[in-house]
Amino acid sequence: MTMFFPLATLVAMMAAAPVLAAESDQRRGDQMSAFEARRQGRALSLREIEARVVPTMKGAQYIGFDYDSGSAIYTLKFLRDGNVIWVDVDGRSGQIVGRTGR
């Protein structure tokens, strides 16, 4: 019985590895797309976007972002009181264009 728990834990971790790797690859892709758009002058940097939006989200924890290179929209993710909040920001102007959650 004592061997079962560590083995079950190891099996669960191995099963989750492909999902975690896919999320890591997605984040890396978002970062590279945002970097290229910034380098080419098509979008503001993530740091500029964060500097504008994060201070307006009082009481919320900033989790991270996604970037859609087709629309140049940054989606910043926050957590407040167990609720996820997504804030869509136009990467060209820095203006908030949408928000979901509380």
Side-chain angles (χ1 to χ4, degrees):
M1 180 81 160
T2 58
M3 285 298 290
F4 177 75
F5 180 73
L7 181 60
T9 303
L10 179 61
V11 169
M13 289 172 53
M14 289 173 56
V19 172
L20 295 175
E23 288 177 3
S24 177
D25 289 345
Q26 176 64 39
R27 177 162 304 279
R28 197 170 303 118
D30 291 342
Q31 290 172 342
M32 289 307 297
S33 294
F35 174 78
E36 277 302 309
R38 171 65 176 140
R39 190 179 68 75
Q40 295 172 2
R42 294 183 290 117
L44 298 170
S45 74
L46 173 62
R47 299 297 166 237
E48 291 174 275
I49 297 295
E50 290 171 337
R52 292 177 185 207
V53 176
V54 172
T56 68
M57 298 298 295
K58 303 288 188 224
Q61 177 186 359
Y62 178 53
I63 299 171
F65 79 100
D66 290 323
Y67 180 74
D68 181 341
S69 59
S71 63
I73 297 291
Y74 287 92
T75 301
L76 279 61
K77 300 174 190 176
F78 297 87
L79 184 65
R80 180 188 297 136
D81 300 327
N83 297 308
V84 178
I85 304 164
W86 292 273
V87 178
D88 295 328
V89 182
D90 184 320
R92 294 172 290 254
S93 68
Q95 296 297 312
I96 295 174
V97 295
R99 179 178 166 155
T100 59
R102 296 185 204 180

